[in-house]
Amino acid sequence: MRPWRCWPRNVLPLGTEQVDLADAAGRVLAEPIHAVIASPRRAVSAMDGYALRDSDAAVGARFRIIGESFAGGPPPPALSAGECGRIFTGAALPVGSDRVVMQENLHLGRDRNRPLPQFGPGWHVRQVASDFAEGDLLLPAGTLLDARNDHIGSGGSRNGPGLQATAGHYCHRG
């Protein structure tokens, strides 16, 4: 007989309890964990550069710089035609923008920018819920919790701040 075939009848749960995910290493999830928020919650930049409207993007076009957007910072000002905003990786895109041009692909002026011929086909934007959407399964029941599960704390929480997991210990009956 193969050893793992006897596992279900030789291993018994000792019960479950709610524990912080940070303290749950070595335990097994008794219930699945689902995302309570989307990640990212809004469209964000995938790199440093300048946010602008894709419909305005053309080699040689001039853009007036109207603001900046930093990851975790306040919302940047909305963009209109011919405007751009300095943006950093992970920062929210300004309303009205749908593209980030890498800073290396712009000719920078004092208060205006011009895309260079190689400004590229990529939009460099991480769309809303591109990592996971609200309600997505993050960890199924039965998952052995360890350091690889630390990332779940950013998206799944049912019991207030800090992720709580219903987890259990198991014993072997010999």
Side-chain angles (χ1 to χ4, degrees):
M1 176 187 268
R2 297 185 186 214
W4 60 85
R5 289 198 176 155
C6 66
W7 186 84
R9 65 178 183 263
N10 289 326
V11 177
L12 298 173
L14 293 175
T16 62
E17 61 182 330
Q18 291 285 314
V19 295
D20 287 331
L21 185 60
D23 300 325
R27 296 184 182 208
V28 176
L29 267 181
E31 298 175 354
I33 294 178
H34 294 270
V36 296
I37 59 171
S39 178
R41 289 181 272 175
R42 60 188 57 84
V44 297
S45 177
M47 62 183 50
D48 295 351
Y50 290 85
L52 50 93
R53 296 170 7 143
D54 186 58
S55 60
D56 292 341
V59 173
R62 294 183 179 269
F63 294 92
R64 185 170 65 93
I65 304 167
I66 65 161
E68 297 179 315
S69 184
F70 298 93
L79 298 182
S80 297
E83 296 177 332
C84 71
R86 180 78 172 106
I87 194 164
F88 297 89
T89 303
L93 260 65
V95 171
S97 67
D98 55 3
R99 179 185 199 114
V100 174
V101 175
M102 293 172 32
Q103 59 193 6
E104 297 88 348
N105 291 336
L106 290 169
H107 173 73
L108 305 177
R110 288 178 72 188
D111 64 348
R112 296 197 180 267
N113 292 333
R114 286 191 334 250
L116 298 172
Q118 68 274 21
F119 76 89
W123 279 258
H124 310 299
V125 173
R126 291 181 52 226
Q127 297 298 333
V128 173
S130 58
D131 293 336
F132 52 81
E134 183 178 338
D136 279 358
L137 177 66
L138 300 179
L139 290 175
T143 299
L144 176 63
L145 297 172
D146 58 25
R148 294 174 294 177
N149 309 123
D150 285 348
H151 69 284
I152 298 302
S154 66
S157 178
R158 294 189 313 271
N159 303 350
L163 179 63
Q164 296 281 309
T166 302
H169 286 289
Y170 291 81
C171 74
H172 186 271
R173 294 193 314 175

